[in-house]
Amino acid sequence: MLSAESLKRIDREIAKFPAEQKQSAVIAALAIAQDEKGWLATETMDFVAQYLGMAPIAVYEVASFYNMYDLAPVGRHKLTVCTNLPCALSGGVDAAEHLKQCLGVGFNETTADGRVTLKQGECMGACGDAPVLLVNNKRMCGSMSNDKLDKLLAELK
Amino acid sequence: MLDYGPDAILMKGLDGSNWRLKDYEARGGYDALKKILRENIAPEAVIAEVKKSGLRGRGGAGFPAGLKWSFMPKQYAGAKYLVCNTDEGEPGTFKDRDIIRYNPHMLIEGMLIGAYATGAGVGYNYIHGEIWAEYELFERALDEAHAAGYLGKNILGTDFSFELHAFHGYGAYVCGEETGLLESVEGKKGQPRFKPPFPASYGLYGKPTTINNTETFAAVPWIINHGGDAFLALGRPNNGGTKIFSVSGHVNRPGNYEVRLGTPFAKLLEMAGGMRGGKRIKAVIPGGSSAPVIPGEIMMQTDLDFDCVAKAGSMLGSGAVIVMDETTCMVRALERLSYFYFEESCGQCTPCREGTGWMYRVVHRIEHGKGRQEDLDLLSNVADNIAGRTICALGDAAAGPVKSFVKHFREEFQYHIDHKRCMVNVPGGYFTVSNPSAGRAA
Ligand SMILES: Cc1cc2nc3c(=O)[nH]c(=O)nc-3n(C[C@H](O)[C@H](O)[C@H](O)COP(=O)(O)O)c2cc1C
Ligand code: FES
């Protein structure tokens, strides 16, 4: 169900915990599965459950609790913009508005061509670099002026 | 060079790329650990030194670190754990990220000393989900420390062993709460546990566990190298050392500044370049969004240590200083914070789950010109019925801003209710209605 490469990454996580505590690797395993599949379908979560010896419901609980998992398909790129207060005081909300305009979508929506999903995020622990946004959960971009936002959008195919 | 200010001791001599083991060693890194192992200093003596230093937890609650370490059972047959909290999600806080990306070995050494002092054999550093690059960098630092014999079995040829792993979160503010964090490491939803029992007796996998914030651990090598007295002398009695303050909001140079505890807020503001555009300071949240807001003029008279900020009516918290100028609409500011707590409540306690949503909806309607006369009393009432009635402090964290915003800026809330629009009318200002006639009013 998951590639050998993903399984290798999951095994590396499992090795961090006591042998009888494989479940501790579930947060990482779901993140790795999402990296490969783009989002977490029920079959993917079931596979993770089986791989870690967990009840499927326990895996669904985790997947629905943490904000960075996607339980429905998203665009090829997911942009999560922080609009929490410290960022908002330095342009976080403006950045989000600019993206909404350029993309023609609101929060939790995907462009019609399936290119970009826009999300509203909470504090990413990078408020000094506001406005900040996260590309595909991994790449943090700071000081996002409208110019830089335009460049970023041009780069995302 | 990265400049954290002239008083910096933890974040001194860093340039953004000299985070590697060899650089850290060149700065005197791992000397504290070597000294302890070479001189065979007893764990109790290490704890005594940390107690003497007046080091208080940097994660929010300000609990004395040495005292916390002394709660770990000494005669205990099974595994004991040491956990670092780098889940930094308290809005306004961005200091721990700098520690792990610019000086990761300082944290590793601090955790090694913590493990030695508490008898923990395995440790985890729980890193905030949104900072992936920093997580990867920290893993590389762990590999370096392993290869050099600072981590693993028989460290530096002694019988002291400690294994340390990085754990990557995936987006949940409540996992910053220490027992929510432990649940998360166990592979569950991060719903906090009822305390007592405290982690020192029932922690990770039910084993004795010590958990501290990144900056708390990071201060420990300096304390061992220079002595607890020297650290204490940097700050004030009961408030030892320096502290990294994350300054955000309406200042010219947002960023991290490491200053001695007890430094006047006015001095920190000056380091951050003063108020953006020379505007008047209106309000400050001095310790992360969960700390009560304080009017600017009071803050300008306040020194930054745990006790002074408490006396001024707030908390030093995580040291996240959010500065708001005269263009800020306090109703809109509170609306955004209330949304955050509503969004992040883990849902297990009814007062918090229901109360945070209720408070958000009431502040939202006031902001949108639909406030009712009884709303301000209602807000206080809901806040009072959350605070102190939940398993973890997220409930208090959500109630604090509501109560303090309404208390200090009541006339602004009342104006919104009476006039169905914003009182703050500074053209072009942020968080304001720039054109009153086209205001956000309903
Ligand atoms: C809702 C909530 C969120 C918290 N978030 C953090 C956090 O992101 N980082 C942190 O170090 N402590 C956080 N804390 C405080 C921890 O529970 C705990 O007190 C701290 O990690 C202990 O370390 P210290 O004594 O070194 O400060 C949070 C507490 C609550 C109630
Ligand atoms: S508020 Fe946006 S990163 Fe902290």
Side-chain angles (χ1 to χ4, degrees):
Chain A
M1 233 333 256
L2 289 176
S3 69
E5 167 63 20
S6 293
L7 294 182
K8 211 170 104 196
R9 285 179 66 199
I10 295 175
D11 290 343
R12 242 194 105 231
E13 294 298 323
I14 294 175
K16 293 178 179 178
F17 307 99
E20 69 284 6
Q21 302 290 352
K22 264 180 152 178
Q23 175 170 352
S24 285
V26 68
I27 292 175
L30 286 171
I32 292 163
Q34 180 166 299
D35 282 351
E36 182 185 324
K37 302 280 181 190
W39 65 288
L40 295 175
T42 307
E43 309 86 79
T44 310
M45 292 189 279
D46 289 347
F47 176 83
V48 167
Q50 191 208 340
Y51 197 76
L52 295 177
M54 291 172 67
I57 182 70
V59 175
Y60 308 158
E61 271 190 357
V62 167
S64 59
F65 188 84
Y66 297 86
N67 299 332
M68 290 163 68
Y69 297 120
D70 295 306
L71 301 182
V74 290
R76 290 193 294 285
H77 308 282
K78 181 174 77 167
L79 301 185
T80 312
V81 192
C82 176
T83 59
N84 205 314
L85 180 61
C87 273
L89 295 170
S90 293
V93 175
D94 300 332
E97 288 305 318
H98 185 73
L99 287 173
K100 282 180 189 171
Q101 290 225 326
C102 294
L103 296 169
V105 296
F107 288 135
N108 299 319
E109 289 175 7
T110 302
T111 53
D113 58 2
R115 190 168 68 104
V116 179
T117 300
L118 189 62
K119 295 240 170 194
Q120 166 165 252
E122 294 299 343
C123 181
M124 301 174 180
C127 340
D129 303 336
V132 296
L133 62 81
L134 202 56
V135 185
N136 296 332
N137 286 349
K138 291 249 162 44
R139 173 175 160 212
M140 169 113 45
C141 304
S143 310
M144 296 308 282
S145 60
N146 287 355
D147 275 359
K148 284 177 78 177
L149 289 171
D150 294 342
K151 277 204 196 93
L152 175 70
L153 287 182
E155 173 198 315
L156 302 177
K157 298 295 174 220
Chain B
M1 261 313 142
L2 298 164
D3 187 9
Y4 289 83
D7 287 344
I9 54 169
L10 306 181
M11 304 303 274
K12 198 169 99 178
L14 305 176
D15 64 11
S17 63
N18 58 1
W19 58 269
R20 293 180 168 280
L21 178 64
K22 61 172 174 30
D23 304 308
Y24 184 62
E25 285 176 329
R27 293 194 291 272
Y30 289 105
D31 281 358
L33 177 74
K34 286 178 189 157
K35 174 175 156 172
I36 289 170
L37 295 179
R38 190 180 55 233
E39 297 174 15
N40 218 345
I41 300 175
E44 297 75 38
V46 173
I47 293 180
E49 205 61 38
V50 175
K51 278 188 181 165
K52 212 194 301 172
S53 75
L55 172 65
R56 294 173 64 169
R58 303 308 198 215
F63 193 83
L67 187 60
K68 188 187 279 187
W69 291 10
S70 72
F71 295 154
M72 286 285 271
K74 282 181 200 64
Q75 313 299 341
Y76 186 83
K80 290 194 263 184
Y81 291 99
L82 189 77
V83 175
C84 176
N85 190 341
T86 310
D87 193 38
E88 199 162 60
E90 173 77 10
T93 321
F94 46 94
K95 63 190 177 66
D96 298 337
R97 175 181 179 223
D98 275 12
I99 294 174
I100 66 165
R101 65 175 166 167
Y102 298 143
N103 214 359
H105 286 285
M106 184 173 58
L107 171 61
I108 297 172
E109 186 181 11
M111 289 192 72
L112 274 157
I113 297 168
Y116 178 88
T118 58
V122 178
Y124 295 97
N125 182 20
Y126 191 104
I127 297 174
H128 198 216
E130 283 82 350
I131 52 172
W132 172 255
E134 289 76 2
Y135 167 81
E136 285 203 305
L137 185 144
F138 189 75
E139 287 227 305
R140 285 162 69 195
L142 287 178
D143 289 344
E144 286 187 324
H146 246 283
Y150 290 119
L151 284 174
K153 285 213 166 41
N154 301 108
I155 291 165
L156 303 177
T158 66
D159 56 9
F160 170 54
S161 299
F162 181 60
E163 225 21 281
L164 179 58
H165 305 284
F167 188 104
H168 187 222
Y170 228 59
Y173 167 63
V174 74
C175 289
E177 198 281 339
E178 55 189 18
T179 57
L181 188 152
L182 296 176
E183 289 285 300
S184 184
V185 176
E186 293 183 4
K188 303 173 191 155
K189 322 178 262 191
Q191 293 190 320
R193 300 172 182 170
F194 193 81
K195 293 182 272 188
F198 289 94
S201 41
Y202 190 91
L204 183 60
Y205 308 127
K207 306 291 186 204
T209 301
T210 294
I211 172 161
N212 279 114
N213 172 257
T214 317
E215 189 186 353
T216 312
F217 281 123
V220 171
W222 197 95
I223 292 169
I224 299 302
N225 282 325
H226 300 84
D229 288 330
F231 190 79
L232 183 62
L234 289 174
R236 285 185 174 167
N238 198 29
N239 288 274
T242 58
K243 166 95 190 73
I244 307 172
F245 287 91
S246 304
V247 186
S248 65
H250 293 142
V251 297
N252 280 314
R253 283 196 303 274
N256 284 315
Y257 300 91
E258 184 184 348
V259 300
R260 296 169 178 227
L261 279 174
T263 298
F265 166 76
K267 172 89 189 301
L268 180 70
L269 181 60
E270 197 186 304
M271 291 172 80
M275 297 301 293
R276 196 196 294 160
K279 296 236 165 54
R280 191 179 61 82
I281 185 168
K282 179 172 186 175
V284 176
I285 302 177
S289 69
S290 307
V293 68
I294 301 185
E297 52 282 10
I298 298 179
M299 201 61 212
M300 289 301 281
Q301 308 300 320
T302 301
D303 293 347
L304 296 166
D305 68 43
F306 289 94
D307 302 321
C308 289
V309 177
K311 209 152 34 148
S314 187
M315 308 187 313
L316 193 75
S318 60
V321 178
I322 307 168
V323 180
M324 290 171 269
D325 72 19
E326 56 192 319
T327 68
T328 313
C329 167
M330 300 312 273
V331 182
R332 189 164 175 205
L334 178 63
E335 183 198 19
R336 186 59 184 85
L337 291 180
S338 300
Y339 177 78
F340 168 69
Y341 292 103
F342 162 52
E343 173 70 28
E344 297 294 330
S345 172
C346 81
Q348 75 178 323
C349 308
T350 309
C352 176
R353 182 186 63 241
E354 302 302 322
T356 51
W358 197 356
M359 291 194 301
Y360 167 66
R361 288 189 299 275
V362 173
V363 181
H364 179 81
R365 77 180 176 225
I366 298 175
E367 165 65 10
H368 289 81
K370 292 185 178 149
R372 305 169 193 164
Q373 284 306 329
E374 65 274 18
D375 275 352
L376 296 184
D377 291 336
L378 175 62
L379 276 178
S380 301
N381 188 290
V382 178
D384 284 340
N385 279 294
I386 300 174
R389 289 178 161 86
T390 53
I391 287 175
C392 89
L394 195 146
D396 305 79
V402 169
K403 292 199 62 120
S404 59
F405 270 74
V406 173
K407 174 177 162 204
H408 292 297
F409 301 96
R410 193 175 178 102
E411 77 285 358
E412 227 175 287
F413 285 80
Q414 192 62 52
Y415 190 94
H416 265 260
I417 294 172
D418 293 342
H419 300 273
K420 315 222 170 296
R421 61 184 171 83
C422 189
M423 192 169 130
V424 186
N425 278 323
V426 180
Y430 195 70
F431 252 22
T432 54
V433 184
S434 39
N435 175 359
S437 60
R440 287 187 310 277

